[in-house]
Amino acid sequence: MNSTPAHVLVVDDEADLRLGLTCLVEETGARVSAASSAEEALRVLRRETVDVIISDIKMSGLSGVDLLHTVRRNWPATEVVLLTGFGSIELAVQCLQDGAAHFFTKPFDNDEIVRTVRQLAARSQARTLPGMGAGGDGVIAVDAKMRAVLSLVEQVAGTRVPVLIEGESGTGKEVIARLLHRRMGVEKPLVAVNCAAIPDTLLESELFGYRKGAFTGAEQHYEGIFRRAHRSTLFLDELPSMSPAFQGKLLRVLQEKVLRPLGAETMEEADFRLIAAGNRKLQDLVTEGSFREDLYYRLNVFTIQLPHLRERPDDILPLAHHFLAQAVDMHGMATTGEQGAFRPETVAALQQHAWPGNVRELSNVIQRAVILASGGPIEAHHLAFHTAKNAETDAAGSTESYEEAKQRMLEHFQRRFLERVLESTNGNISHAAEDSGLTRAAIQKMMRRLNIDRARFDHR
C-alpha cells in the first residue's frame, strides 16, 4: 500500500455528482476532498497539497476553465481533469491546449476515470516529492521502504559520522549519497569516485595526489581526491574493489585526518565526511577475508540498506513517469495518449516485471520505449523486456559508470530505430522524418554521430 496516498480534489456544484465522483475516486486508494465551487477549491489548494483535481466546467461563479488557468499559474505540479455535459471538439482541444491533463464528456466511463486518476496522481507525485531538486540527483520515494531510507538520511545528515550504503547494482547508491550531501548544507561539491574504475597501481596517486617530480611523468603538482574532498564529502563507490593493502592506507587517513602527497615533505589536512558504497555486504567480505575488519568497523557506524526496485512497488510508476519526462526532453520527442503516454497494459507490464537491473534498468527501458514509440503512446511491446535482458545483465556486471551504460544502451537502440525506419523508406530522410516524428535535422545529426550511411538503404 502506498505510504503517502494521492490527494484528489473533486469540484462540482451538484451534490449528487460530487458524492458519486468522490466514492469512485476513493476506489483508487486516494485521499479525496470535495468542493462545491471553484472558489472553495482554491481555498483547499492554499492550505493543502493536491495531486489531481477533477472539476466540472459549468459552475456558478468561477468556471472549471477559470480554475484550470489559476491552477496552472500557481500549482503547476497539480494535474487537472475537466468534465462537461456539453462537450464539443473545439472545447476539448482548447482545454487541453490550456493545460488540462484530460477532458471527459458526461456520461463518462467509470473505469476510465479510475485509470486516469491513478496515472495522473503518480505523475504529479513524481514532480513534487522531496529531493527532486536540480542537478538530476533527486529521489522519488512514494513507497514506504524508500520513505524509511529518506528518514535515515535526515537523521544522519546533521552528523559527521561515516555512512555505509549497501544495495544491489542500479538501486541508486550515488543518488542517496548526493542527497545526504545536500542535506548536510556543505557549500563545496561532493567528490565521487568509482574505486573499481581506477587501477590499483594508480589509486594512490589519484587519492593522495603528488608533487612535481615525484615519479616519471609527474610534470606538475596534482591535488588528490582526498584533498579535494577536504571539508566536504567523499563518496567512494565500489569500495570492496579496493585492495586490502590500500584499505589500510584509507583507514589511516580516516583516523588521523592528514596525509602526505607523493613526493611531499609535509603532511596536509584531509578532513572529509566519508560515504562508502558497495553491492555486496561488507560483513560477508570480512568473513571471506577480502575486506579489513578494522576498516569495516570504522565504516559501519551508520548503514543505509537500499531496497531492490521490486521491493518498492509503489515507486515503479512514479519513477517511470519521471524517466519518461527526462527521455522526452532529451530527445525532443512528443508523446501522446489518453493515459499520460502509458497504455493500461503498459502500466501492468511495468508493475509485473521483476526489474533485476533495478532503477537503472527502468530508466533504460523507458528511454528505449520512447524511441520505439516514435511519438505515439507507449505500448507494452515497446518496453521490449526480452531484448533488454542480456544487455541489462551485462551492464549490471560491468565496471562502466551509469552514464556510460545508459549512453551505450541508447546508441544501440537509436541505431536499430534509424536503420529500421531508413530501410522502410529506402533511405529517404524526408519520409523517414515524417514516419518517425523526428525532424530531418535530428535524423541527419544522429546518422552522422552513429556513422550511418543513407546509401546502403537505397534499394531502388
Side-chain angles (χ1 to χ4, degrees):
M1 184 69 179
N2 193 330
S3 60
T4 308
H7 184 195
V8 179
L9 176 60
V10 173
V11 189
D12 201 305
D13 57 1
E14 294 186 34
D16 289 346
L17 284 173
R18 194 165 63 246
L19 177 61
L21 273 171
T22 297
C23 294
L24 181 62
V25 174
E26 283 176 342
E27 294 179 14
T28 67
R31 177 169 71 91
V32 185
S33 299
S36 59
S37 66
E39 291 85 351
E40 184 181 354
L42 291 173
R43 288 195 290 272
V44 173
L45 284 161
R46 291 186 187 105
R47 66 174 184 264
E48 298 184 64
T49 298
V50 176
D51 297 302
V52 180
I53 295 173
I54 303 176
S55 175
D56 192 10
I57 287 182
K58 191 174 181 181
M59 296 182 289
S60 58
L62 293 176
S63 69
V65 175
D66 295 328
L67 176 62
L68 168 66
H69 293 160
T70 304
V71 170
R72 292 268 61 81
R73 285 195 306 270
N74 298 287
W75 298 278
T78 300
E79 302 283 2
V80 180
V81 176
L82 293 178
L83 311 174
T84 182
F86 309 95
S88 68
I89 294 175
E90 291 80 7
L91 179 60
V93 169
Q94 185 59 53
C95 289
L96 293 173
Q97 288 178 343
D98 288 348
H102 214 303
F103 182 94
F104 285 105
T105 302
K106 302 174 185 176
F108 43 75
D109 185 305
N110 287 354
D111 291 339
E112 281 290 298
I113 290 283
V114 169
R115 281 198 296 268
T116 299
V117 167
R118 281 183 174 143
Q119 291 220 20
L120 294 180
R123 191 162 72 188
S124 176
Q125 287 186 322
R127 293 181 185 138
T128 58
L129 289 167
M132 291 302 297
D137 57 355
V139 179
I140 286 181
V142 176
D143 195 275
K145 289 197 173 183
M146 278 305 292
R147 288 287 182 185
V149 168
L150 294 193
S151 178
L152 292 175
V153 169
E154 296 297 337
Q155 290 175 42
V156 78
T159 72
R160 294 279 297 171
V161 301
V163 175
L164 179 60
I165 303 174
E166 295 184 328
E168 287 186 356
S169 292
T171 49
K173 293 183 286 292
E174 184 169 348
V175 171
I176 294 300
R178 292 188 179 279
L179 175 63
L180 175 55
H181 176 71
R182 288 206 313 272
R183 292 293 187 265
M184 289 171 59
V186 179
E187 291 185 6
K188 292 182 65 176
L190 175 138
V191 179
V193 181
N194 185 334
C195 298
I198 304 176
D200 214 45
T201 53
L202 299 179
L203 201 56
E204 185 166 13
S205 60
E206 285 294 320
L207 293 180
F208 283 82
Y210 51 82
R211 293 292 175 263
K212 181 178 180 180
F215 52 83
T216 304
E219 299 178 353
Q220 58 186 7
H221 290 345
Y222 176 74
E223 185 175 53
I225 290 166
F226 287 156
R227 277 290 298 165
R228 294 207 301 272
H230 181 53
R231 295 180 179 169
S232 185
T233 307
L234 175 63
F235 175 57
L236 294 180
D237 198 7
E238 301 296 344
L239 183 65
S241 66
M242 188 180 286
S243 69
F246 207 87
Q247 291 170 23
K249 296 180 180 181
L250 171 61
L251 177 62
R252 188 181 182 94
V253 172
L254 292 175
Q255 290 173 335
E256 300 181 1
K257 302 186 185 304
V258 293
L259 58 82
R260 189 193 303 273
L262 300 181
E265 297 180 357
T266 58
M267 305 293 282
E268 296 182 358
E269 282 188 283
D271 186 8
F272 49 80
R273 205 262 181 85
L274 178 66
I275 304 174
N279 56 19
R280 289 190 61 191
K281 288 184 175 295
L282 289 190
Q283 191 168 18
D284 295 340
L285 299 178
V286 170
T287 303
E288 294 172 5
S290 59
F291 198 85
R292 290 180 61 121
E293 188 174 16
D294 49 2
L295 178 57
Y296 168 69
Y297 286 118
R298 182 77 185 185
L299 296 175
N300 192 33
V301 178
F302 198 95
T303 301
I304 297 176
Q305 183 68 44
L306 296 189
H308 320 299
L309 181 55
R310 60 185 173 272
E311 294 177 332
R312 43 186 288 211
D314 286 333
D315 284 340
I316 292 173
L317 197 53
L319 281 166
H321 280 295
H322 174 64
F323 292 135
L324 173 65
Q326 283 188 336
V328 168
D329 183 62
M330 179 186 297
H331 305 300
M333 301 170 71
T335 56
T336 61
E338 292 186 346
Q339 300 302 319
F342 291 125
R343 295 294 197 196
E345 59 272 19
T346 311
V347 172
L350 287 168
Q351 292 172 329
Q352 292 166 10
H353 188 58
W355 301 110
N358 292 294
V359 179
R360 181 181 298 145
E361 179 189 0
L362 176 58
S363 173
N364 290 337
V365 164
I366 297 302
Q367 284 215 45
R368 178 172 58 250
V370 169
I371 294 169
L372 295 177
S374 303
I378 295 178
E379 310 282 355
H381 66 85
H382 291 142
L383 302 178
F385 289 131
H386 62 289
T387 62
K389 185 175 180 181
N390 292 337
E392 293 295 346
T393 301
D394 292 344
S398 73
T399 58
E400 63 187 340
S401 70
Y402 168 71
E403 289 298 328
E404 289 169 340
K406 183 170 72 172
Q407 187 62 32
R408 175 173 56 80
M409 293 278 296
L410 178 61
E411 288 182 0
H412 173 69
F413 284 97
Q414 282 181 334
R415 182 179 298 279
R416 286 184 58 208
F417 177 82
L418 281 181
E419 288 175 345
R420 186 186 65 188
V421 73
L422 289 169
E423 185 71 34
S424 68
T425 60
N426 286 318
N428 187 306
I429 295 177
S430 295
H431 292 166
E434 193 173 309
D435 291 349
S436 66
L438 295 169
T439 64
R440 278 178 53 89
I443 288 180
Q444 290 170 332
K445 182 178 180 180
M446 280 194 285
M447 288 175 66
R448 286 194 298 270
R449 182 164 49 81
L450 299 172
N451 197 26
I452 295 176
D453 185 3
R454 183 193 66 83
R456 69 185 177 94
F457 301 98
D458 191 352
H459 306 306
R460 292 168 294 183

